[in-house]
């Protein structure tokens, strides 16, 4: 009856079948309410339809693309793919033109499920020959499905569902090149769901609120899968909305949700109300909220945010355990042999040393790339052997993320490897600086990134989104920086861009590539320190011309202009 999970459950198809006969509320959004049984029946009907639309043939992969918002159709098609032995490619609706067509072709989609609002994105695109497009909010679609209304979860399938059966093709963000499609099998997704159920004690009477986009691993792996494994209810929001968050949580009786850091900042920026704690929500699980925002969130909403570490690739995982120090993510998950290493020498970095006030004293030597030296659950990228080789080097899985480890083995996130800065020959991590700048009471959001120094190395630039009604006061900001005991001498921003809001990727992560592209040339006001440690002053057009000459003299590209 779908009231719990079992270590014997090895496939997502088994979890979908377990919903059959369970007449509790299982899947909801603003206009739809389905029982678990109805959700299983809907998945079975779509699985039978898939079997007719793309019969299993040599050389033809059973792949379908989902170009959908978070509507009930999304989890129903995930369940259908699991039952049918097919795989789902989550298609990012913020992609356009040739890039969007490339994603559909690259994942060998034979069926594309979409909605009327997304149809204009496909106009004129060079789509794969023979691609069948289903438009969910049409009478033709409803009539097509009606012919399969009597299907059961065991009726028809393309290929038998096994633990190693491919189920997801989840695209990475692709902010620095063509996105890669990460493979996730039924066994890995089922195991991830069961692990989160055990770790967070998720119950069948819980309701999981899914507001992160389902084409990304955050929503599917960390929210949908544990709900399915526990027999919990699912409530959907078509896309994240800070103003709709609390009304949705109350309406659906939500108890669990997943997030990324920027979403938490948006929620904290909403006006406070006396009833902010009037809800059933007990837990948020996600990444990159930062200790300051997590504390603010719990103080205001009464909800604990648990920072985790993992990725769609599944190559390494960190779990928060009792006794985890403030600021740390946790320890290596069971079975992972995680180490922090210097990516150039492959040597293990020394443990972090802290001052009595908790300031990291040896960041330059302690911060390195996190690797998994044990057996990695990474299942590869779809048709991308070069990317596979970059992840798996010297028998290790390289995460591409920066960490440091304390003497007791707790791991601390320090940013993406691409976000490392080198200032005056000292290595810095953008995430550490962001966590400090986020303490400024006027800041609603912070992004730190490197821009080239006129001579050598990098300079620190920060983009600040201010809270409603706040203005940027350069003297107050400089005084705030001077009061932060853990802000190293190389960390204060040389440039501060004040933005109306931070640019985001489709998965609600800060789009640092877009910020770097604008750098010193964008339309937003920029403040800078003409002399290190001096006062901040507006960057004028005359200042820009002087800086251009300095960069040109050193034959270095001016930040924000193509070389």
């Amino acid at each position: 009856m779908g009231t719990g999970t079992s270590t014997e459950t090895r496939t997502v198809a088994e979890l979908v079948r377990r919903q059959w006969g369970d007449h509790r509320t299982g899947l909801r959004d603003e206009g739809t309410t389905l029982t678990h049984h109805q959700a299983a029946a809907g998945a079975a009907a779509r699985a039978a339809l898939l079997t007719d639309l793309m019969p299993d043939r040599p050389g033809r992969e059973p792949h379908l693309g989902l170009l959908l918002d978070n509507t009930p159709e999304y989890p129903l098609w995930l369940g259908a793919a699991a039952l049918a032995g097919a795989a789902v490619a989550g298609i990012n609706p913020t992609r356009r033109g040739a890039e969007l067509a490339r994603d559909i072709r690259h994942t060998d989609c034979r069926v594309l499920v979409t909605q009327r609002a997304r149809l204009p994105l496909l106009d004129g695109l060079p789509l794969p020959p023979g691609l069948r497009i289903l438009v969910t909010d049409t009478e033709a679609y409803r009539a097509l499905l009606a012919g399969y209304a009597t299907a059961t979860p065991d009726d028809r399938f393309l290929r038998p569902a096994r633990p190693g059966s491919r189920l997801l093709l989840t695209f990475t963000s692709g902010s620095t090149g063509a996105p890669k499609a990460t493979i996730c099998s039924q066994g890995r997704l089922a195991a991830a769901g069961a692990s989160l159920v055990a770790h967070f004690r998720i119950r069948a009477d819980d309701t999981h609120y899914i507001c992160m986009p389902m084409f990304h691993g955050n929503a599917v792996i960390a929210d949908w899968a544990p709900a399915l494994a526990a027999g919990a209810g699912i409530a959907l929001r078509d896309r994240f909305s800070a103003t709709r968050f609390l009304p949705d949580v109350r309406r659906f009786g939500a108890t669990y949700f997943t997030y990324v850091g920027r979403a938490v900042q948006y929620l904290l920026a909403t006006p406070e109300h006396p009833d902010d704690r009037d809800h059933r929500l007990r837990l948020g699980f996600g990444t990159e909220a930062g200790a300051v925002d997590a504390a603010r969130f719990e103080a205001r909403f009464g909800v604990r945010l648990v920072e985790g570490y993992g990725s769609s690739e599944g190559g390494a995982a960190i779990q928060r355990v009792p006794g985890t120090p403030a600021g740390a993510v946790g320890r290596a998950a069971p079975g992972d042999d995680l180490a922090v290493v210097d990516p150039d020498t492959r040597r293990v970095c020394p443990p972090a040393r802290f001052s009595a006030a908790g300031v990291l004293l040896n960041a330059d030597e302690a911060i390195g790339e996190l690797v998994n030296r044990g057996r990695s659950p990474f299942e590869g990228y779809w048709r991308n052997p070069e990317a596979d080789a970059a992840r798996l080097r010297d028998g290790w899985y390289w995460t591409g993320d920066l960490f440091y480890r304390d003497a007791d083995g707790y791991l601390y996130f320090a940013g993406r490897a691409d976000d490392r800065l080198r200032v005056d020959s000292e290595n810095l991590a953008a995430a550490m600086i962001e966590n400090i700048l986020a303490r400024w009471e006027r800041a609603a959001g912070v992004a730190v990134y490197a821009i080239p120094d006129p001579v050598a190395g990098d300079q620190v630039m920060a983009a600040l989104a201010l809270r409603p009604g706040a203005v940027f006061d350069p003297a107050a900001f400089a005084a705030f920086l001077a009061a932060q005991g853990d802000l190293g001498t190389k960390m204060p921003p040389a440039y501060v861009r004040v933005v109306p809001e931070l640019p985001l990727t489709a998965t609600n992560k800060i789009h640092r590539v877009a910020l770097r592209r604008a750098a010193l040339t964008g339309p937003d006001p920029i403040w800078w320190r003409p002399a290190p440690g001096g006062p901040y002053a507006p960057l004028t057009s005359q200042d820009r011309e002087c800086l251009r000459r300095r960069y040109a003299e050193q034959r270095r590209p001016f930040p924000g202009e193509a070389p």
Side-chain angles (χ1 to χ4, degrees):
M1 290 283 292
T3 57
T5 190
S6 165
T7 56
E8 286 134 12
T9 303
R10 301 186 305 152
T11 66
V12 174
E14 293 173 56
L15 296 175
V16 175
R17 290 190 192 100
R18 244 181 26 199
Q19 296 181 104
W20 192 262
D22 184 347
H23 299 286
R24 297 174 302 119
T25 300
L27 178 62
R28 285 179 287 174
D29 72 351
E30 284 189 300
T32 303
T33 299
L34 300 177
T35 66
H36 289 285
H37 177 83
Q38 288 172 323
R46 287 158 180 79
L49 172 59
L50 270 184
T51 304
D52 284 345
L53 290 181
M54 51 180 191
D56 194 16
R57 291 173 181 161
R60 301 295 306 277
E61 297 294 341
H63 291 180
L64 66 146
L66 298 185
L67 180 61
L68 294 168
D69 295 335
N70 287 2
T71 69
E73 290 289 343
Y74 212 116
L76 290 176
W77 277 104
L78 287 175
L83 293 174
V88 166
I91 306 299
N92 181 345
T94 68
R95 303 267 283 172
R96 295 292 185 273
E99 292 183 341
L100 179 62
R102 178 262 175 199
D103 292 349
I104 297 169
R105 291 196 309 271
H106 175 68
T107 46
D108 297 323
C109 291
R110 295 165 62 187
V111 172
L112 181 67
V113 183
T114 189
Q115 59 201 81
R116 284 185 293 178
R118 299 301 185 188
L119 277 178
L121 299 179
L122 304 175
D123 288 346
L125 296 189
L127 298 173
L131 178 71
R132 180 69 181 267
I133 298 177
L134 305 180
V135 185
T136 59
D137 47 351
T138 63
E139 284 300 327
Y141 175 79
R142 286 186 279 272
L144 182 63
L145 268 182
Y148 299 89
T150 60
T152 69
D154 294 308
D155 272 359
R156 302 173 66 191
F157 55 85
L158 291 160
R159 297 177 180 177
R162 298 189 172 97
S165 298
R166 190 183 314 121
L167 178 59
L168 301 178
L169 296 171
T170 303
F171 281 105
T172 60
S173 64
S175 59
T176 57
K180 302 178 287 292
T182 303
I183 297 170
C184 180
S185 66
Q186 292 216 26
R188 180 158 78 86
L189 187 58
S195 175
L196 289 172
V197 167
H199 192 68
F200 292 131
R201 299 180 181 178
I202 296 169
R203 305 183 304 268
D205 60 354
D206 279 318
T207 296
H208 286 215
Y209 179 58
I210 301 180
C211 55
M212 295 293 102
M214 292 196 74
F215 65 79
H216 189 253
N218 175 291
V220 175
I221 298 173
D223 215 343
W224 180 73
L228 191 66
I234 292 169
L236 298 171
R237 164 59 56 183
D238 57 352
R239 65 196 72 180
F240 173 75
S241 167
T243 57
R244 291 299 309 162
F245 181 84
L246 273 182
D248 279 352
V249 163
R250 292 177 181 132
R251 174 185 176 184
F252 296 123
T255 55
Y256 172 102
F257 77 108
T258 58
Y259 64 84
V260 295
R262 185 56 184 150
V264 171
Q265 292 172 356
Y266 274 130
L267 291 169
L268 289 171
T270 59
E272 295 189 29
H273 294 284
D275 61 351
D276 278 344
R277 288 175 170 240
D278 182 17
H279 53 73
R280 293 182 57 217
L281 199 63
R282 73 169 191 272
L283 179 68
F285 176 54
T287 61
E288 300 179 26
V292 173
D293 281 348
R296 287 175 177 169
F297 195 90
E298 185 168 8
R300 176 175 167 182
F301 298 108
V303 179
R304 183 169 63 105
L305 298 185
V306 177
E307 288 283 295
Y309 176 80
S311 63
S312 301
E313 290 91 341
I318 299 171
Q319 291 183 350
R320 190 169 186 87
V321 295
T324 299
V329 179
R331 293 181 181 272
D336 284 355
D337 178 15
L338 303 186
V340 178
V341 304
D342 185 314
D344 296 321
T345 65
R346 272 56 170 179
R347 293 178 180 172
V348 176
C349 296
R353 291 184 288 105
F354 301 95
S355 71
V359 178
L360 179 63
L361 300 175
N362 61 334
D364 192 48
E365 63 173 2
I367 294 176
E369 185 169 348
L370 185 71
V371 300
N372 188 353
R373 300 177 298 188
R375 183 179 180 276
S376 169
F378 175 56
E379 295 174 304
Y381 297 108
W382 179 250
R383 299 197 192 284
N384 199 331
E386 296 83 6
D388 289 347
R391 283 289 183 202
L392 299 173
R393 307 191 310 271
D394 305 324
W396 296 349
Y397 176 86
W398 296 74
T399 65
D401 292 323
L402 302 176
F403 274 81
Y404 54 97
R405 185 197 296 264
D406 66 20
D408 296 319
Y410 291 101
L411 292 156
Y412 299 71
F413 180 69
R416 309 299 177 193
D418 290 342
D419 297 332
R420 172 169 264 185
L421 304 86
R422 190 162 180 83
V423 179
D424 295 339
S425 299
E426 184 175 325
N427 291 321
L428 305 174
M432 295 183 64
I433 305 173
E434 286 175 353
N435 288 340
I436 297 172
L437 299 189
R439 300 171 190 159
W440 196 37
E441 60 184 11
R442 302 189 192 190
V446 182
V448 169
Y449 48 101
I451 63 171
D453 181 86
V455 179
D458 301 318
Q459 290 185 341
V460 179
M461 187 164 187
L464 288 182
L466 300 177
R467 295 185 179 278
V471 296
F472 182 73
D473 182 335
F477 183 68
F480 160 78
L481 296 178
Q484 307 310 303
D486 52 351
L487 188 72
T489 58
K490 309 297 183 185
M491 292 182 177
Y495 297 90
V496 178
R497 177 187 294 277
V498 180
V499 298
E501 59 183 17
L502 295 173
L504 302 179
T505 67
T507 56
N508 293 304
K509 294 183 179 181
I510 294 171
H511 201 325
R512 287 183 176 79
V513 174
L515 290 169
R516 292 190 192 100
R517 286 180 188 141
L520 303 184
T521 61
D524 302 311
I526 297 175
W527 298 77
W528 73 310
R529 278 179 157 168
Y536 284 97
L539 183 71
T540 66
S541 56
Q542 184 177 0
D543 293 330
R544 283 189 178 90
E545 290 308 311
C546 291
L547 286 169
R548 277 193 181 91
R549 289 195 291 271
R550 289 179 59 192
Y551 278 90
E553 289 168 0
Q554 300 295 328
R555 299 184 178 179
R556 301 209 83 194
F558 185 69
E561 291 182 348

